[in-house]
């Protein structure tokens, strides 16, 4: 029996005390908390990026639709740009680059007669999104929409 008592005594000495376990928990928290915070920041930034992509895609489609059904061909690009800017809810419209192909003064949109009907009209948008990861990063978000022109030149 004295042997059993000595073995139990050694086992009790090997088991960490309550104070040592509390210190271990603090060290584990100090190691995992920065990782979890970076992961959460990454998820928030991913959500911001997805929102910008969805809004930009919708604005490109709205611009393409406005370009397809222009009411005044002489001011077509203004109608397209206006439709895009109205659709940019939640984004800074001054940071969006709009590319219209073909432009108002390019063929077939500058041709007299019913020329452009059925021709493709492409709207390309680019937005420079500033993301605050551990370092500030500027990410280009792009969207493009193509529609067939439905109007006829006068």
């Amino acid at each position: 029996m004295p042997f059993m008592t000595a073995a139990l005594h050694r086992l009790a000495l090997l088991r960490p005390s309550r104070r040592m376990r509390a210190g271990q928990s603090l060290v584990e928290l100090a190691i995992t908390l920065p990782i979890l915070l970076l992961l959460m920041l990454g998820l928030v930034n991913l959500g911001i990026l997805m929102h910008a992509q969805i809004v930009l895609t919708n604005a490109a489609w709205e611009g393409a639709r406005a370009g397809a059904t222009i009411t005044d061909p002489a001011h077509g690009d203004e109608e397209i740009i206006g439709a895009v800017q109205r659709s940019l809810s939640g984004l800074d419209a001054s940071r969006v680059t709009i590319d219209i192909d073909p432009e108002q003064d390019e063929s077939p949109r500058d041709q007299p007669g019913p020329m452009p009907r059925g021709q493709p009209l492409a709207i390309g948008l680019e937005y420079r999104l500033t993301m605050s990861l551990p370092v500030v990063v500027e990410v280009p978000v792009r969207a493009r929409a193509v529609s067939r022109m439905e109007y006829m030149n006068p």
Side-chain angles (χ1 to χ4, degrees):
M1 287 287 201
F3 178 73
M4 292 283 272
T5 311
L8 287 174
H9 182 64
R10 271 187 260 134
L11 187 61
L13 289 176
L14 292 177
R15 192 174 77 201
S17 69
R18 188 174 282 186
R19 185 174 179 184
M20 288 177 66
R21 281 183 285 181
Q24 178 185 354
S25 298
L26 187 62
V27 169
E28 288 174 359
L29 179 68
I31 292 172
T32 58
L33 188 62
I35 295 169
L36 289 175
L37 288 176
L38 282 175
L39 184 63
M40 287 176 52
L41 182 64
L43 288 174
V44 167
N45 280 318
L46 179 64
I48 291 169
L49 178 68
M50 295 292 291
H51 173 263
Q53 181 66 54
I54 290 169
V55 168
L56 212 60
T57 302
N58 182 53
W61 279 111
E62 289 293 329
R65 182 66 189 150
T69 59
I70 289 175
T71 56
D72 181 14
H75 299 99
D77 283 358
E78 293 171 15
E79 287 185 39
I80 293 169
I81 291 169
V84 167
Q85 288 179 342
R86 283 189 302 274
S87 299
L88 290 172
S89 61
L91 297 181
D92 183 8
S94 65
R95 298 181 68 190
V96 175
T97 309
I98 303 171
D99 178 37
I100 303 170
D101 185 39
E103 291 186 9
Q104 186 171 325
D105 56 352
E106 293 178 359
S107 178
R109 289 179 63 198
D110 64 346
Q111 302 296 318
M115 182 63 183
R117 189 173 180 98
Q119 298 293 320
L121 175 72
I123 308 297
L125 304 178
E126 182 174 328
Y127 179 70
R128 308 291 290 180
L129 177 66
T130 304
M131 299 181 74
S132 55
L133 298 168
V135 293
V136 177
V137 177
E138 199 168 271
V139 179
V141 181
R142 296 181 182 95
R144 184 172 173 85
V146 179
S147 183
R148 298 277 177 191
M149 293 184 229
E150 298 176 10
Y151 70 93
M152 294 186 188
N153 283 338

